[in-house]
Amino acid sequence: MTRLVRAFLKAGVLSESALVRTKAGTPQGGVLSPLLANIMLAGIEGRYAKYVSPRLRRDGKPYARPGNELRKFRHYERKAGRLVFLPIRYADDFVVLVNGTEEQARAEKEELAVFLRNEMKLTLSPEKTHITPLTEGFEFLGHRVRLRWDDRWGYWPRIEIPTVRVKDFRHRIKQYTTRGRSRLSFQETIDALNPVLLGWGRFYQHCYGAKQVFTRIDHYVWDRLRRWLRKKYPKTPRLVIRRRYWRRIPGRARYRWVDQRPVAIVADLKVGRHDLLKMRMPDYAYPARESPVHNERCTPGSGTGAAETGGGNPDIGASPPRSLRDRRSKGSAP
């Protein structure tokens, strides 16, 4: 692993068809940057391990649902009037939720900056580090997170699509339907738009109010394609263009722009919230138990004991590889 990381660091950067050797740092957007960020910033979870690390029962075994126990612990700490910190990190982007006043949040920000500077030789960016009330919300990983008041059950969290992201996406759609691209065929324009529309829609399909935003995006796409066709065929009557390209497809009652294949409808994507009952902590978040006879010579899936890495850990709900399960089931069959 160390040799692989060193090779990535010394690989250089390809800029304008020329190889540039680098002596320090990693290229922006490179595949190595998230890995190094996870290695360096793992200490943040260690600083707040009391609130995020899975807890053990009195007999030393992990809980069947460690996430529920952590939520209960944080709830009791808040109820007792003590400060609770909840870090949420993805590569080099992280948010720390603080249950307290703004002064306490600012004090924790200063202490975290000192911790990162002394322990990891890192510096918090003043432009990107903000202290924001949850009622106003903040943007994280392209989503807007905030608390909204409801008369039935009080404050509840809401994940929304940021307005800036919608405007940027509309501008991106506009670039596909400019006058300079009228030399392309209508089907080429549709094929270029479809993956962009569906990719953006699937990224935001779990947000609150996504269906309304998707509907407005579909209307904007309809209008942009209509304008693009007018530029491509300036002498063709509008009714002829509509009869040629605005029609139904088999099995659907809805009209849409169609050439050989139809344009994608973002509002057709299924939207909905994440089902928390079906979510569970991944296997790597549990403390792993290694077998004393398991070493680097063993191949993945070669373990046969319950305590070996390849055999799965039944105490934490981890299952063995599919190939190993098949071999066991075949060997135990009469």
Side-chain angles (χ1 to χ4, degrees), residues 6 9 74 150 162 168 195 218 245 258 261 266 302 304 315:
R6 187 181 295 111
L9 291 175
R74 293 193 293 262
D150 191 280
D168 292 343
D218 288 332
Y245 297 114
V258 181
R261 292 174 296 276
V266 188
S302 62
T304 56
D315 295 333

Side-chain angles (χ1 to χ4, degrees), residues 54-66 69 286-287 289 313-317:
R55 307 171 66 84
L56 301 178
R57 299 185 303 189
R58 293 183 179 180
D59 55 1
K61 295 182 178 181
Y63 286 95
R65 294 181 177 272
E69 299 302 323
Y286 294 89
R289 298 194 311 173
N313 193 342
D315 295 333
I316 62 174

Side-chain angles (χ1 to χ4, degrees), residues 160-200:
E160 304 170 340
I161 304 176
T163 306
V164 177
R165 301 286 177 168
V166 178
K167 292 181 179 179
D168 292 343
F169 187 61
R170 287 164 66 98
H171 177 73
R172 187 178 178 186
I173 294 172
K174 188 175 182 180
Q175 302 310 307
Y176 284 94
T177 55
T178 57
R179 187 182 298 272
R181 294 176 61 91
S182 59
R183 56 182 176 80
L184 302 176
S185 66
F186 191 39
Q187 188 58 54
E188 289 176 334
T189 303
I190 291 177
D191 291 341
L193 273 174
N194 281 350
V196 177
L197 294 173
L198 295 178
W200 191 85

